[in-house]
């Protein structure tokens, strides 16, 4: 079966119909663009560089020292098993790497506040309770994709919420599943567990519209193996959809029958109660410097969010099994100074019948998807782009552990 390639039409350059091409089937995942920290939307969208400390050596190394250094590098390469193009989401960065010296502090106008708070926060809960909506609300912009379908979030999305005297690093995790049918499901649940390893506190979200239920299953899945239980807040989300009297009754029930430190009702959609959640988190975070520069909102590269936007449009446009059998990869992202940035995306499905549904009659369905995705990508990146989408088949990709790890489900993100 040949592949249909569709370029998203742009109203900015041409009124010509979208270009269709027939290409031979092949599978490729490429990482060609450098890592960028994602700036806050109020900042410039230009790429950021990681700051590192450099101390010049006092003397040239000897041959013996060079030999030992080479040996150490080889051992490290073997240890990480060729994963140098990936960044772990399971390890906290060294705070000292984020510290500024006196000169940098003066130049940037930063204050060294001994009461500054920083730490990691894990967002947990069953599918479709509003974890991503809450994370977006706390950060102040949309990072995690949101739909009305369960299990929209697959990756552990790192969101950075910073203020003058604090920095919260939020882990928006996939919904906790009762039944794990594929290797993909089990790896997503592993990401939920690993998100809490370094968490200074844990937020468990429940749907206030549903009958109260114990959260033992969620806590056991996420922090059951921990020696010490971190401070835990239960958040009753969607309080705007029920009457105040019901909110009070359910608040009393959760306070009485769940093993949490506090219960706070919120409406993540409208931001009601979000400040209360922030204040609770700040009361639990330790004092310390920021882990990341204050003007970035995520450590994920831009290409990650491009793929997530395309996947969100798939969830919104297609029904039944289709959104769950699609994997989206950005295989090329080329910044062009004198033209629109070129982004090439592939959508992987498991069967030819699914591919036919994605493309639609005469490619019209795929055209709608590509156009909707391009508009959101341009809004997110604050620049015009040329988006090209391919649909391909990779049988049983949800059971392929090697592929899943390469696609970021192993708790790592591609950085090159």
């Amino acid at each position: 079966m040949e592949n249909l390639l569709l370029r998203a039409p742009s109203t900015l350059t041409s009124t010509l119909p979208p270009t269709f091409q027939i290409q031979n089937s092949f599978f490729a995942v490429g990482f060609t663009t450098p890592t960028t920290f994602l700036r806050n939307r109020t900042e410039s969208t230009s790429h950021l560089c990681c700051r590192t400390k450099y101390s010049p050596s006092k003397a040239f190394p000897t041959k013996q020292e060079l030999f030992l250094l080479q040996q150490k590098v080889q051992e490290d390469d073997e240890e990480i098993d060729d994963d140098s193009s990936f960044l772990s989401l399971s390890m906290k960065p060294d705070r000292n790497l984020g510290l500024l010296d006196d000169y940098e502090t003066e130049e940037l106008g930063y204050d060294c506040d001994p009461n500054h708070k920083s730490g990691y926060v894990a967002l947990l809960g069953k599918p479709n309770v509003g974890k991503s909506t809450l994370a977006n609300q706390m950060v102040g912009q949309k990072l995690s994709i949101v739909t009305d379908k369960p299990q929209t979030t697959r990756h552990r999305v790192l969101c950075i919420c910073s203020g003058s005297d604090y920095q919260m690093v939020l882990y928006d995790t996939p919904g906790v599943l009762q039944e794990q049918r594929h290797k993909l499901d089990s790896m997503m649940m592993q990401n939920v567990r690993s998100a809490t390893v370094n968490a200074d506190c844990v937020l468990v979200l429940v749907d206030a519209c549903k009958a109260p239920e114990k959260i033992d299953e969620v806590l056991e899945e996420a922090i059951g193996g921990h020696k010490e239980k971190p401070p835990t807040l239960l958040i009753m989300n969607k309080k705007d959809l029920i009457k105040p009297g019901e909110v009070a009754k359910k608040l009393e029930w959760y306070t009485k029958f769940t093993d949490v430190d506090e219960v706070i009702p919120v409406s993540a959609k409208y931001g009601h109660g979000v400040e209360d959640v922030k204040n609770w988190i700040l009361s639990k975070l330790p004092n310390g410097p920021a882990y990341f520069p204050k003007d970035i909102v995520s450590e994920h590269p831009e290409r990650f969010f491009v793929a997530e936007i395309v996947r969100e449009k798939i969830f919104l446009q297609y029904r039944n099994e289709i959104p769950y059998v699609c994997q989206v990869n950005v295989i090329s992202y080329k910044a062009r100074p004198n033209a629109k940035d070129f982004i090439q995306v592939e959508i992987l499905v498991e069967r030819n019948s699914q591919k036919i549904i994605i493309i639609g009659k005469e490619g019209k369905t795929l055209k709608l998807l590509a156009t909707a995705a391009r508009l959101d990508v341009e809004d997110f990146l604050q620049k015009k782009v040329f988006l090209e989408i391919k649909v391909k088949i990779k049988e049983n990709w949800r059971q392929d552990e090697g592929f899943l790890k390469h696609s970021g489900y192993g708790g790592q993100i591609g950085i090159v």
Side-chain angles (χ1 to χ4, degrees):
M1 181 68 183
E2 293 176 318
N3 287 297
L4 178 65
L5 176 150
L6 173 65
R7 293 185 171 88
S10 173
T11 58
L12 300 163
T13 55
S14 173
T15 56
L16 294 176
T19 303
F20 293 89
Q21 294 181 347
I22 300 297
Q23 296 188 345
N24 294 326
S25 298
F26 71 95
F27 170 72
V29 177
F31 297 92
T32 57
T33 58
T35 304
T36 64
F37 288 123
L38 185 66
R39 280 189 181 271
N40 188 296
R41 289 288 290 274
T42 60
E43 301 288 336
S44 167
T45 57
S46 60
H47 293 340
L48 290 174
C49 298
C50 301
R51 180 184 290 106
T52 57
K53 299 291 185 182
Y54 171 71
S55 300
S57 176
K58 294 181 180 179
F60 291 106
T62 64
K63 288 184 178 180
Q64 178 66 16
E65 289 172 333
L66 286 173
F67 175 76
L68 292 174
L69 181 61
Q70 185 178 15
Q71 255 190 337
K72 180 69 169 60
V73 170
Q74 290 174 346
E75 289 172 1
D76 290 344
D77 286 344
E78 293 173 2
E79 186 177 329
I80 63 176
D81 192 25
D82 244 0
D83 278 344
S84 58
S85 62
F86 292 89
L87 177 67
S88 173
L89 289 178
S90 301
M91 297 175 61
K92 285 185 179 180
D94 185 352
R95 288 179 190 266
N96 293 324
L97 293 179
L99 293 176
L100 306 177
D101 58 31
D102 294 338
Y103 175 77
E104 291 172 317
T105 301
E106 183 180 349
E107 284 294 304
L108 296 174
Y110 289 173
D111 294 324
C112 297
D113 184 359
N115 296 318
H116 185 278
K117 288 179 174 288
S118 63
Y120 276 64
V121 182
L123 299 179
L124 310 176
K126 291 185 177 180
N128 212 30
V129 295
K131 298 183 297 296
S132 297
T133 305
L134 178 63
N136 292 338
Q137 192 71 248
M138 292 180 69
V139 174
Q141 73 178 78
K142 184 176 179 180
L143 294 180
S144 296
I145 61 176
V146 177
T147 75
D148 59 357
K149 295 183 176 67
Q151 212 57 46
T152 301
T153 301
R154 285 181 183 166
H155 294 275
R156 188 172 6 136
V157 182
L158 186 149
C159 309
I160 303 169
C161 177
S162 300
S164 60
D165 57 352
Y166 69 87
Q167 184 174 83
M168 307 172 189
V169 184
L170 309 174
Y171 273 142
D172 179 18
T173 64
V176 174
L177 297 172
Q178 293 180 336
E179 184 179 359
Q180 300 171 22
R181 300 180 180 179
H182 304 94
K183 187 65 180 177
L184 171 63
D185 297 337
S186 61
M187 291 181 74
M188 287 194 300
M189 290 308 96
Q190 178 58 39
N191 280 337
V192 172
R193 290 187 290 272
S194 60
T196 63
V197 171
N198 291 318
D200 295 289
C201 59
V202 171
L203 311 183
V204 181
L205 273 74
V206 296
D207 189 340
C209 298
K210 297 182 178 179
E213 58 181 354
K214 292 193 174 182
I215 58 170
D216 298 349
E217 178 186 325
V218 174
L219 292 176
E220 179 62 29
E221 181 68 38
I223 60 178
H226 295 197
K227 293 181 180 179
E228 296 183 6
K229 183 169 117 7
T232 305
L233 171 68
L234 189 143
I235 299 175
M236 286 173 45
N237 190 26
K238 307 181 185 180
K239 73 170 187 176
D240 55 296
L241 300 178
I242 61 176
K243 295 178 180 179
E246 289 185 66
V247 173
K249 289 179 181 179
K250 292 179 179 180
L251 181 65
E252 182 181 0
W253 191 96
Y254 278 115
T255 302
K256 185 176 180 180
F257 294 106
T258 57
D259 183 22
V260 296
D261 298 291
E262 193 173 339
V263 182
I264 297 178
V266 307
S267 170
K269 181 177 181 179
Y270 296 106
H272 303 157
V274 172
E275 282 303 313
D276 294 334
V277 172
K278 284 187 177 182
N279 291 334
W280 183 91
I281 294 172
L282 288 174
S283 71
K284 306 302 178 184
L285 294 185
N287 291 339
Y291 285 97
F292 302 96
K294 289 292 187 80
D295 60 350
I296 68 167
V297 292
S298 184
E299 198 177 27
H300 290 282
E302 290 173 342
R303 61 191 306 140
F304 170 84
F305 293 103
V306 171
E308 286 289 276
I309 288 172
V310 174
R311 201 165 63 81
E312 179 187 53
K313 300 310 171 189
I314 294 173
F315 265 85
L316 294 173
Q317 187 168 320
Y318 300 90
R319 294 175 293 183
N320 301 326
E321 68 166 354
I322 295 301
Y324 301 98
V325 299
C326 291
Q327 166 63 21
V328 179
N329 296 320
V330 176
I331 59 176
S332 180
Y333 188 133
K334 297 178 181 177
R336 301 187 292 190
N338 300 320
K340 299 177 184 179
D341 287 1
F342 176 78
I343 304 175
Q344 191 176 51
V345 173
E346 65 178 7
I347 300 173
L348 299 179
V349 294
E350 294 185 322
R351 300 194 304 270
N352 186 60
S353 59
Q354 297 161 351
K355 177 179 176 181
I356 292 173
I357 293 173
I358 291 287
I359 294 171
K361 186 177 180 181
E362 298 178 353
K364 292 180 179 179
T365 312
L366 184 59
K367 175 184 175 182
L368 289 174
L369 172 70
T371 302
R374 177 183 59 78
L375 292 173
D376 268 22
V377 167
E378 289 180 339
D379 181 62
F380 182 79
L381 298 177
Q382 297 291 288
K383 62 175 75 171
K384 305 303 178 185
V385 302
F386 184 86
L387 180 64
E388 182 178 274
I389 295 181
K390 299 177 181 179
V391 183
K392 301 179 183 178
I393 300 171
K394 181 172 176 58
E395 295 181 358
N396 297 320
W397 67 263
R398 289 179 290 178
Q399 298 285 20
D400 188 336
E401 184 173 357
F403 170 78
L404 291 171
K405 286 183 176 178
H406 191 75
S407 298
Y409 295 105
Q412 297 174 314
I413 53 175
I415 62 173
V416 294

mmCIF file of all heavy atoms in Angstrom, residues 8 26 103 117 125 157 202 204:
data_model
loop_
_atom_site.group_PDB
_atom_site.id
_atom_site.type_symbol
_atom_site.label_atom_id
_atom_site.label_comp_id
_atom_site.label_asym_id
_atom_site.label_seq_id
_atom_site.Cartn_x
_atom_site.Cartn_y
_atom_site.Cartn_z
ATOM 1 N N ALA A 8 -0.139 20.681 4.578
ATOM 2 C CA ALA A 8 -1.208 21.544 5.083
ATOM 3 C C ALA A 8 -1.270 22.817 4.268
ATOM 4 O O ALA A 8 -0.262 23.492 4.086
ATOM 5 C CB ALA A 8 -0.964 21.874 6.557
ATOM 6 N N PHE A 26 7.804 3.284 3.894
ATOM 7 C CA PHE A 26 9.002 3.066 4.691
ATOM 8 C C PHE A 26 8.738 3.658 6.050
ATOM 9 O O PHE A 26 7.812 4.417 6.257
ATOM 10 C CB PHE A 26 10.237 3.707 4.056
ATOM 11 C CG PHE A 26 10.243 5.205 4.107
ATOM 12 C CD1 PHE A 26 10.882 5.876 5.128
ATOM 13 C CD2 PHE A 26 9.589 5.938 3.128
ATOM 14 C CE1 PHE A 26 10.879 7.253 5.176
ATOM 15 C CE2 PHE A 26 9.575 7.310 3.179
ATOM 16 C CZ PHE A 26 10.222 7.975 4.197
ATOM 17 N N TYR A 103 28.647 37.721 39.234
ATOM 18 C CA TYR A 103 28.606 38.579 38.048
ATOM 19 C C TYR A 103 27.297 38.371 37.292
ATOM 20 O O TYR A 103 26.619 39.337 36.897
ATOM 21 C CB TYR A 103 29.789 38.253 37.125
ATOM 22 C CG TYR A 103 29.744 39.014 35.820
ATOM 23 C CD1 TYR A 103 30.114 40.351 35.747
ATOM 24 C CD2 TYR A 103 29.309 38.388 34.644
ATOM 25 C CE1 TYR A 103 30.068 41.047 34.553
ATOM 26 C CE2 TYR A 103 29.244 39.064 33.452
ATOM 27 C CZ TYR A 103 29.633 40.405 33.408
ATOM 28 O OH TYR A 103 29.575 41.079 32.228
ATOM 29 N N LYS A 117 11.635 28.924 47.190
ATOM 30 C CA LYS A 117 11.193 27.530 47.248
ATOM 31 C C LYS A 117 11.191 26.913 45.851
ATOM 32 O O LYS A 117 10.871 27.585 44.869
ATOM 33 C CB LYS A 117 9.781 27.451 47.837
ATOM 34 C CG LYS A 117 9.721 27.741 49.341
ATOM 35 C CD LYS A 117 8.293 27.668 49.844
ATOM 36 C CE LYS A 117 8.238 27.806 51.360
ATOM 37 N NZ LYS A 117 8.736 26.606 52.054
ATOM 38 N N GLY A 125 -4.101 10.758 38.876
ATOM 39 C CA GLY A 125 -5.548 10.597 38.820
ATOM 40 C C GLY A 125 -5.939 9.650 37.707
ATOM 41 O O GLY A 125 -5.123 9.294 36.852
ATOM 42 N N VAL A 157 4.350 14.898 30.903
ATOM 43 C CA VAL A 157 4.670 16.234 30.410
ATOM 44 C C VAL A 157 5.221 17.078 31.547
ATOM 45 O O VAL A 157 4.611 17.190 32.606
ATOM 46 C CB VAL A 157 3.430 16.909 29.791
ATOM 47 C CG1 VAL A 157 3.797 18.275 29.232
ATOM 48 C CG2 VAL A 157 2.831 16.035 28.700
ATOM 49 N N VAL A 202 2.452 15.378 46.138
ATOM 50 C CA VAL A 202 1.626 14.701 45.141
ATOM 51 C C VAL A 202 0.221 15.300 45.149
ATOM 52 O O VAL A 202 -0.358 15.541 46.214
ATOM 53 C CB VAL A 202 1.548 13.183 45.433
ATOM 54 C CG1 VAL A 202 0.527 12.504 44.529
ATOM 55 C CG2 VAL A 202 2.916 12.534 45.256
ATOM 56 N N VAL A 204 -3.582 14.458 43.775
ATOM 57 C CA VAL A 204 -4.467 13.430 43.225
ATOM 58 C C VAL A 204 -5.782 14.085 42.845
ATOM 59 O O VAL A 204 -6.473 14.655 43.697
ATOM 60 C CB VAL A 204 -4.709 12.295 44.232
ATOM 61 C CG1 VAL A 204 -5.629 11.234 43.615
ATOM 62 C CG2 VAL A 204 -3.392 11.657 44.665
#
